[in-house]
Amino acid sequence: MKFIQFVYASILFVFISCSAQENNKNILSYNIDLEILNNTLHISTIIQAQKSFENNLAFKLDKSLMIKESQYYSIDRTNPEFNILKIKNSKNNKIFKIDYYKNFDIKEDDIKGIHFIDNQLIPIKMTDYFESLNYKIKIRNKSNLYYYTNGLECKQCTSDKLSFVISKEKFTSYKNQKIKIIYQNQNDKKIDYIYNTSNDILKYYNHIFKNDKIDDLTIYINDYYNYSFFSSKNFISIQNIDNEKGNLYLLCHEIAHKWFSKSKNINSNPNAFLNEGFAEYLSYMYYRYKYGNTEFENLIKRKQQEINSLGISNKEISAINKKMDDKIREKLLYVKGALICYEIEKNLGEDEFIIFLNKMNDFEISNLEEFLTLIKDDYGISLYDNIKHIL
């Protein structure tokens, strides 16, 4: 039986796509000082920006966090879900500090552990549109616990996840050439499968993106949360499942985010199709590479049937919004998004489609307008009209 305390943090941020916008970025840098005691986390977070903040700057933190009062911010505790830190004189400041702590208890019968998400560990800016983010964690462990984090230092990450895990059990690290796997209580057969599969995926993807390869990759097998994510160009976390094809899909999709994570909008925005739809379709392309074209076409038919059964085959990507049902939104972004990529590849052919994928990556296409402009300018009005109609 495992006794594990898990702390997981997600910091929402994105990149601005083109060079003209690059100079207008207000990159947020999080310097997090974290002290681990046996039943408490003491956290001090300094947030610094390249430029002054806008007025009415606010962050949300989970209600379970004990926040220290400060002259630099006020605390609004009226929201039922989280506390809101309102920064005073934010327009005149580029840096401020927040101190808080979290009590925790690793119970004797706790098998999977406790996980904290998003604002349960780190202050999250209250917006749907995010600046780029750097973060660095300094950890002082004064407990008898073990920890793992991908966030000791991460600059200009390409997605929004910061992972921090505390456990009574040690973490095992397996490294062979380019790939490192972090895990607990996994059998050798599964680790060998994860390694060999990831290595093969990297070879395939690196062949597609010859000028922008992944040189090394860390894979964390998480046993605490039914969710997988890509955090930076060389880190992914995958949920702990036993099904080999399920692991194949998770690895394909999350590794693909190295090249497709340019949109700076969260998944309630249509622009997120450029992250999720393309990462999904890269996983389908690997499926074709591994199992052949017949199996690939059967996969496409199953995905088409999936969206038909949900009645969303005629629903546009541009209709995605916050109020939409989560399952419908997910299927539009991932499945219909991938099927749009399939239509583009059918029109262009496999070789030209790979060139198109490299253009998407090289030009850092981050919104639907840029995406359609690239299609219109480089591939003609006919394809542009077809794709615009189904977006």
Side-chain angles (χ1 to χ4, degrees):
M1 183 174 291
K2 292 179 284 185
F3 311 111
I4 303 174
Q5 169 73 27
F6 294 98
V7 182
Y8 164 96
S10 171
I11 305 176
L12 296 173
F13 69 98
V14 291
F15 290 107
I16 299 177
S17 62
C18 58
S19 58
Q21 293 171 312
E22 191 77 19
N23 295 330
N24 293 323
K25 283 185 180 180
N26 193 15
I27 297 176
L28 298 183
S29 295
Y30 282 65
N31 285 281
I32 304 157
D33 189 296
L34 196 155
E35 182 181 62
I36 308 170
L37 303 177
N38 283 329
N39 296 104
T40 309
L41 298 178
H42 287 271
I43 309 165
S44 179
T45 297
I46 296 175
I47 302 177
Q48 185 170 3
Q50 289 185 334
K51 302 182 295 183
S52 297
F53 295 104
E54 70 272 20
N55 282 323
N56 305 316
L57 180 67
F59 290 80
K60 58 184 177 181
L61 276 167
D62 190 81
K63 284 187 172 292
S64 66
L65 295 170
M66 307 297 111
I67 309 168
K68 295 183 179 180
E69 301 289 340
S70 170
Q71 62 178 319
Y72 299 108
Y73 54 78
S74 62
I75 305 172
D76 181 351
R77 305 181 190 274
T78 59
N79 188 292
E81 297 180 7
F82 45 78
N83 291 323
I84 301 173
L85 273 67
K86 297 180 179 179
I87 309 304
K88 299 177 181 178
N89 300 318
S90 57
K91 191 173 182 180
N92 299 319
N93 294 324
K94 294 182 181 180
I95 185 170
F96 61 91
K97 179 180 178 182
I98 304 172
D99 292 310
Y100 46 100
Y101 65 93
K102 169 75 181 180
N103 294 324
F104 61 86
D105 180 24
I106 302 178
K107 298 178 181 179
E108 291 299 314
D109 61 350
D110 189 0
I111 297 175
K112 283 198 169 183
I114 305 168
H115 63 271
F116 306 131
I117 305 171
D118 295 336
N119 56 326
Q120 292 178 334
L121 188 67
I122 302 297
I124 304 297
K125 190 177 176 188
M126 295 188 66
T127 178
D128 295 330
Y129 197 61
F130 305 100
E131 287 93 351
S132 297
L133 173 72
N134 299 329
Y135 56 76
K136 182 186 292 186
I137 302 179
K138 178 182 178 182
I139 297 175
R140 290 169 289 132
N141 189 2
K142 297 183 179 180
S143 72
N144 55 5
L145 304 171
Y146 300 96
Y147 71 86
Y148 173 73
T149 181
N150 67 314
L152 293 178
E153 183 168 8
C154 183
K155 294 182 177 180
Q156 295 187 346
C157 302
T158 51
S159 79
D160 58 4
K161 308 299 180 187
L162 173 64
S163 184
F164 181 72
V165 187
I166 302 175
S167 174
K168 284 187 175 180
E169 295 185 357
K170 290 184 178 180
F171 296 86
T172 302
S173 175
Y174 171 84
K175 183 173 176 59
N176 190 339
Q177 298 179 335
K178 294 181 177 182
I179 297 172
K180 181 179 181 180
I181 305 173
I182 308 294
Y183 61 95
Q184 293 172 301
N185 301 313
Q186 302 292 334
N187 61 57
D188 291 343
K189 181 181 177 181
K190 179 171 181 177
I191 298 305
D192 287 343
Y193 177 82
I194 295 292
Y195 170 76
N196 291 326
T197 302
S198 301
N199 192 48
D200 196 48
I201 294 168
L202 282 183
K203 286 180 181 178
Y204 177 69
Y205 286 173
N206 281 342
H207 180 72
I208 292 175
F209 300 98
K210 294 179 180 178
N211 297 322
D212 188 20
K213 298 180 179 180
I214 293 180
D215 295 322
D216 60 90
L217 178 67
T218 296
I219 301 169
Y220 174 57
I221 303 175
N222 74 64
D223 196 25
Y224 63 99
Y225 187 47
N226 188 29
Y227 187 77
S228 299
F229 61 86
F230 174 80
S231 180
S232 62
K233 68 178 182 179
N234 58 359
F235 178 87
I236 64 170
S237 174
I238 61 169
Q239 62 211 66
N240 184 16
I241 59 175
D242 293 326
N243 181 281
E244 285 193 352
K245 282 199 172 181
N247 279 307
L248 172 65
Y249 166 72
L250 292 176
L251 291 166
C252 284
H253 182 94
E254 300 306 333
I255 293 173
H257 275 307
K258 191 276 181 193
W259 297 278
F260 293 102
S261 55
K262 304 296 192 301
S263 172
K264 61 180 184 175
N265 297 99
I266 59 177
N267 280 7
S268 59
N269 187 290
N271 291 329
F273 146 70
L274 301 172
N275 293 346
E276 302 301 346
F278 276 86
E280 185 79 355
Y281 193 65
L282 268 184
S283 73
Y284 296 0
M285 291 171 66
Y286 178 80
Y287 192 89
R288 177 174 57 198
Y289 161 78
K290 185 173 180 65
Y291 297 109
N293 196 63
T294 299
E295 287 299 313
F296 168 76
E297 291 296 340
N298 288 335
L299 171 66
I300 294 297
K301 288 178 183 177
R302 291 197 299 273
K303 296 300 180 180
Q304 289 169 335
Q305 291 169 357
E306 189 175 339
I307 64 168
N308 287 338
S309 67
L310 291 171
I312 59 173
S313 57
N314 294 321
K315 200 169 189 66
E316 298 174 342
I317 295 287
S318 56
I320 290 172
N321 60 73
K322 282 183 180 180
K323 297 180 180 179
M324 181 177 285
D325 177 81
D326 288 345
K327 182 178 180 181
I328 298 298
R329 181 170 60 238
E330 179 182 319
K331 295 303 180 183
L332 283 172
L333 285 174
Y334 289 71
V335 180
K336 185 165 185 180
L339 292 175
I340 290 174
C341 296
Y342 171 71
E343 292 300 322
I344 297 173
E345 185 182 33
K346 273 205 315 182
N347 187 284
L348 299 180
E350 289 186 27
D351 292 342
E352 187 61 36
F353 184 70
I354 288 176
I355 294 173
F356 172 72
L357 293 178
N358 278 272
K359 289 180 180 180
M360 290 282 296
N361 181 56
D362 293 343
F363 299 157
E364 298 190 2
I365 302 300
S366 65
N367 59 61
L368 296 184
E369 182 180 359
E370 293 174 354
F371 169 69
L372 288 170
T373 298
L374 173 64
I375 291 175
K376 183 178 181 180
D377 290 350
D378 287 28
Y379 300 102
I381 192 67
S382 177
L383 180 59
Y384 167 83
D385 285 340
N386 289 340
I387 298 304
K388 185 177 181 181
H389 175 72
I390 56 180
L391 275 178

